[in-house]
Amino acid sequence: MSRRKEKAKIVFTILEEQNPHPVTELNFETPWQLLVATVLSAQSTDKQVNKVTTLLFDKYPYPAQFAALTPEELAEEIKSIGLFRTKSKHLVVSARALLERHGGEVPADLVSLLSLPGVGQKTANVILANAFGIPALAVDTHVFRVANRIGLAKAKTPVATEEQLTSIIGRELWADAHHWLILHGRYICHARNPHCSQCSLREHCDYFQSYRKK
Ligand code: SF4
């Protein structure tokens, strides 16, 4: 077994013991609502997104209602979220594309998802894994940072990190691995000030080991 595969086995066993059934912290009831919440979550916190979507989904639960809005009308509803003007344009155009091309349903395949405005590789993988139960490992800023610090990946981009992680982790664990690494990044392995002294992974973390040797 390669060193990184072995490390992945140890790291995810530890994280699984701490949190056997990790789930997204975004609130949603349908694939469309998850798509909206995930698009809104870029450069924003899940807590802030949930606050906005609680009201938004009460008023507009379905893609057809988003499609009937102008981007300016939607922007007014989500203006407490970063980049709200761009996100509102993407969501209105995506809702219209769903109605025109997919009968108003979110498609469950990567290529169709990537053709929707505002939906990149990370968002598409989040939707596949969390809305459809299709194995996918979304790499956001937390997953990218934590995976590369620990040494599960040695990559310069999220896409390369995804390729490396999916080559050493069994498909059945991709969705859970995504959640575990996000939660670890959000609560322990912060970007500027990682809490290594409280981290259960430090004996297996390249960043901690090289820092300790200095
Ligand atoms: S030991 Fe430090 S750098 Fe490594 S995963 Fe834990 S918090 Fe992050």
Side-chain angles (χ1 to χ4, degrees), residues 146 149-150 184 188-190 194-196 199-202 205 207-208:
V146 175
R149 275 182 177 167
I150 293 173
H184 201 68
I188 304 282
C189 190
H190 297 161
H195 294 180
C196 300
C199 179
S200 55
L201 306 178
R202 61 182 179 272
C205 173
Y207 178 97
F208 180 76

Side-chain angles (χ1 to χ4, degrees), residues 134-182:
I134 296 170
L137 204 163
V139 175
D140 75 343
T141 179
H142 296 300
V143 175
F144 177 71
R145 180 180 69 257
V146 175
N148 281 284
R149 275 182 177 167
I150 293 173
L152 293 169
K154 291 284 176 210
K156 290 201 165 32
T157 65
V159 170
T161 301
E162 181 188 330
E163 282 168 10
Q164 292 184 14
L165 289 176
T166 51
S167 75
I168 58 165
I169 303 168
R171 289 172 69 84
E172 71 288 353
L173 271 191
W174 288 357
D176 286 349
H178 157 80
H179 292 307
W180 283 322
L181 293 173
I182 281 195

Side-chain angles (χ1 to χ4, degrees), residues 71-89:
E72 293 72 26
E73 285 167 335
L74 180 57
E76 191 56 30
E77 305 280 350
I78 62 168
K79 64 185 176 193
S80 62
I81 298 270
L83 308 174
F84 67 96
R85 285 199 180 84
T86 306
K87 290 173 182 175
S88 64
K89 264 185 227 152

